[in-house]
Amino acid sequence: MSNFNFLKRVNENLFIIAYEAEKLFRDEYFEQCITQTRRLAENMCRDVVGDRVQSDASFDDMLATLKDTPAQNDFEKEFLDDLYFLKKAGNASVHSLTVKQDGNAAIECMHRAFEAALNYAVFKKGLDSKYLQQQFDDELLATGKKSKKQSLSEKYNLEKEKSEKARKRQNTKKTKSSNKSKKQKIQDDFEFEENNKNNYDKKPLWREILETIIAGLIIAVVYFLIFNK
């Protein structure tokens, strides 16, 4: 496991460099770890500047080219700042006359390398911007195993996902309920019309009696007129 797994999606070589830096830190080769993060920064910088510099351009030349790029956004400025930091720390480690093995400096370089790599992957290589929410896992760096504790962003995203699923289920229930209500209304209206039709077709008792009496009178009158001549 590595904090830099996302780099596999965009640049396998850079992932290997970053993973080696993590292993050096885990083995407490802190100065070598710092130097490796500088190497990672320089390779990212070279990929970003591309053909704008000669193939033998120094790290300083490439950084100067990036710095002179117009209309930099906040992420580009942050990326450039991290590269400068890693170059300076790496140079200090390489040229130091004494072995310091400063774990705090090494972990700071790892954090900076991680942020720079995220910006590189998203804004240079087009990786999904959701990866910008990823947090550096110190436990993973130290042990090679992912921390069981969820970061705040992971908890937030999980709760957001649960809320979204609950909202969709609720909307589905409302839709089904609405469809059921419409069907029930149609059925109720149909039954109401049928009942009115049946009630209209069915004659009341008094009307049937009256019609029977009138029919009897008509028959009596006809009989009287015919047979009484």
Side-chain angles (χ1 to χ4, degrees):
M1 292 291 293
S2 169
N3 282 291
F4 295 86
N5 279 337
F6 61 90
L7 277 178
K8 289 181 181 179
R9 298 173 177 268
V10 296
N11 193 313
E12 182 74 21
N13 184 61
L14 290 180
F15 166 73
I16 293 172
I17 295 173
Y19 185 55
E20 288 296 326
E22 285 184 303
K23 290 197 296 182
L24 287 168
F25 181 92
R26 201 170 298 133
D27 294 335
E28 299 186 5
Y29 292 116
F30 298 129
E31 286 196 334
Q32 292 86 339
C33 169
I34 294 171
T35 302
Q36 188 76 349
T37 60
R38 183 199 182 283
R39 181 186 175 193
L40 175 66
E42 183 171 355
N43 277 272
M44 285 192 292
C45 187
R46 187 174 296 279
D47 188 33
V48 172
V49 297
D51 296 334
R52 285 179 284 171
V53 297
Q54 298 294 326
S55 59
D56 58 348
S58 68
F59 197 178
D60 286 324
D61 292 336
M62 292 187 291
L63 287 172
T65 301
L66 282 183
K67 189 175 181 180
D68 293 337
T69 302
Q72 292 179 344
N73 58 38
D74 290 339
F75 288 104
E76 289 171 333
K77 291 177 181 178
E78 181 183 354
F79 176 69
L80 187 60
D81 182 60
D82 287 332
L83 295 186
Y84 269 111
F85 178 90
L86 294 170
K87 180 187 78 71
K88 182 178 179 180
N91 288 348
S93 178
V94 169
H95 299 297
S96 176
L97 296 176
T98 59
V99 178
K100 296 180 180 179
Q101 297 296 8
D102 188 346
N104 290 328
I107 198 170
E108 175 67 13
C109 285
M110 291 302 305
H111 280 229
R112 291 276 193 149
F114 176 79
E115 294 299 329
L118 275 178
N119 285 332
Y120 161 82
V122 173
F123 296 104
K124 170 62 179 176
K125 294 298 185 178
L127 191 67
D128 196 314
S129 59
K130 69 180 182 180
Y131 283 93
L132 292 174
Q133 301 174 5
Q134 187 169 321
Q135 301 293 318
F136 190 86
D137 189 339
D138 289 330
E139 185 175 332
L140 175 57
L141 172 65
T143 66
K145 297 179 181 179
K146 188 173 178 61
S147 173
K148 293 182 180 180
K149 294 181 180 179
Q150 291 179 317
S151 66
L152 288 177
S153 62
E154 288 175 329
K155 289 181 180 180
Y156 170 77
N157 290 332
L158 182 60
E159 290 301 320
K160 183 178 179 181
E161 185 177 345
K162 288 181 179 179
S163 299
E164 185 67 19
K165 288 181 179 179
R167 185 183 66 80
K168 288 181 179 179
R169 285 197 297 268
Q170 188 66 25
N171 288 341
T172 301
K173 289 181 180 179
K174 287 182 179 180
T175 301
K176 289 182 179 180
S177 178
S178 176
N179 291 338
K180 184 177 180 180
S181 298
K182 289 179 181 178
K183 291 180 180 179
Q184 185 64 43
K185 185 176 184 303
I186 293 173
Q187 184 177 354
D188 291 344
D189 290 344
F190 176 78
E191 290 179 354
F192 179 77
E193 292 178 359
E194 285 295 314
N195 289 336
N196 284 344
K197 183 179 180 181
N198 292 336
N199 290 336
Y200 178 79
D201 293 341
K202 186 178 180 180
K203 296 179 181 179
L205 180 61
W206 65 267
R207 186 175 176 179
E208 290 183 355
I209 295 174
L210 180 61
E211 288 178 352
T212 301
I213 294 174
I214 292 174
L217 290 173
I218 291 173
I219 293 172
V221 170
V222 171
Y223 179 84
F224 178 77
L225 292 174
I226 295 174
F227 294 97
N228 202 30
K229 290 181 178 182

